[in-house]
């Protein structure tokens, strides 16, 4: 398989976490999955363009991923990407565990050491930070951020747009 190109929307701190994860992702032949990684950002010298140029520039990439920590802003940008019918991947660090029965939807990143247990559903555009624990039968709504070391107990339902702080515990059943 050919390596893919990806446009990252946002070039702040979170974008570098995403970049690190992209560099760890490999195809079935242990070759890098992403050969070309560029940024779109209004305030970064690293960027190939500004956010207003998403439509024109994004078309030249296989995939687009939103690297914005703010849940509401990430939602707005992802909805725009969706309207433009661009392909949005799920990004998973190789040290994360995702149960085969769990569902993780487009635009979500699962960071190092995170756990997503059986029958849990992570909706679009979520950030599952390092060491977060999502136990079984949890539902996490769209555009949530489950911060480092937060725990979603079995059966927890996390409403869309929620930010669980680092180390916070969401009650379950």
């Amino acid at each position: 398989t050919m390596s893919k190109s990806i446009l990252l929307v946002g070039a702040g701190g979170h974008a570098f976490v995403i970049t690190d994860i992209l560099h760890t992702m490999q195809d079935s032949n242990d070759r890098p999955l992403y050969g070309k990684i560029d940024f779109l950002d209004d305030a970064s010298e690293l960027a190939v363009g500004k956010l207003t140029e998403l439509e024109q520039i994004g078309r030249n990439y296989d995939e687009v991923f939103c690297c914005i920590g703010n849940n509401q802003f990430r939602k707005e940008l992802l909805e725009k990407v969706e309207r433009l019918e661009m392909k949005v991947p799920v990004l998973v660090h190789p040290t994360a565990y995702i149960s085969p029965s769990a569902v993780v939807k487009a635009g979500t990143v699962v960071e190092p050491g995170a756990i997503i247990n059986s029958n849990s559903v992570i909706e679009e555009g979520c950030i599952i930070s390092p060491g977060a624990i999502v136990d079984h039968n949890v539902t996490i709504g769209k555009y949530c951020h489950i911060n480092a070391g937060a725990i979603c107990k079995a059966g927890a339902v996390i409403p869309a747009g929620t930010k669980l702080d680092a180390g916070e515990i969401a009650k379950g059943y």
Side-chain angles (χ1 to χ4, degrees), residues 65-80:
F65 197 86
C66 196
C67 304
I68 305 288
N70 179 288
N71 290 343
Q72 182 57 34
F73 192 30
R74 188 169 66 259
K75 172 184 195 278
E76 290 164 17
L77 285 165
L78 272 168
E79 285 174 345
K80 183 176 180 184

Side-chain angles (χ1 to χ4, degrees), residues 10-161:
H14 183 53
F16 292 94
V17 172
I18 300 295
T19 303
D20 284 349
I21 291 170
L22 290 170
H23 286 306
T24 69
M25 295 177 74
Q26 297 181 323
D27 66 16
S28 52
N29 300 313
D30 295 330
R31 285 189 296 247
L33 199 55
Y34 294 95
K36 181 178 162 80
I37 302 169
D38 287 330
F39 300 97
L40 208 60
D41 194 284
D42 291 348
S44 172
E45 292 172 12
L46 298 172
V48 296
K50 305 236 182 282
L51 296 182
T52 52
E53 299 173 279
L54 174 63
E55 189 168 359
Q56 302 87 304
I57 294 175
R59 285 200 185 111
N60 304 319
Y61 293 81
D62 298 317
E63 297 176 351
V64 175
F65 197 86
C66 196
C67 304
I68 305 288
N70 179 288
N71 290 343
Q72 182 57 34
F73 192 30
R74 188 169 66 259
K75 172 184 195 278
E76 290 164 17
L77 285 165
L78 272 168
E79 285 174 345
K80 183 176 180 184
V81 167
E82 209 174 299
R83 282 194 302 276
L84 296 171
E85 297 180 351
M86 294 172 176
K87 186 165 166 33
V88 178
V90 170
L91 302 180
V92 180
H93 190 273
T95 63
Y97 169 75
I98 299 179
S99 164
S101 64
V103 175
V104 180
K105 298 190 180 172
T108 289
V109 58
V110 184
E111 296 184 11
I115 296 169
I116 299 174
N117 225 346
S118 57
N119 298 311
S120 285
V121 176
I122 316 292
E123 296 287 353
E124 288 86 355
C126 291
I127 300 170
I128 310 299
S129 286
I133 299 172
V134 176
D135 204 354
H136 65 88
N137 298 88
V138 170
T139 301
I140 296 179
K142 293 181 178 188
Y143 319 113
C144 285
H145 182 185
I146 309 303
N147 215 333
I151 299 171
C152 298
K153 293 168 81 169
V157 177
I158 311 297

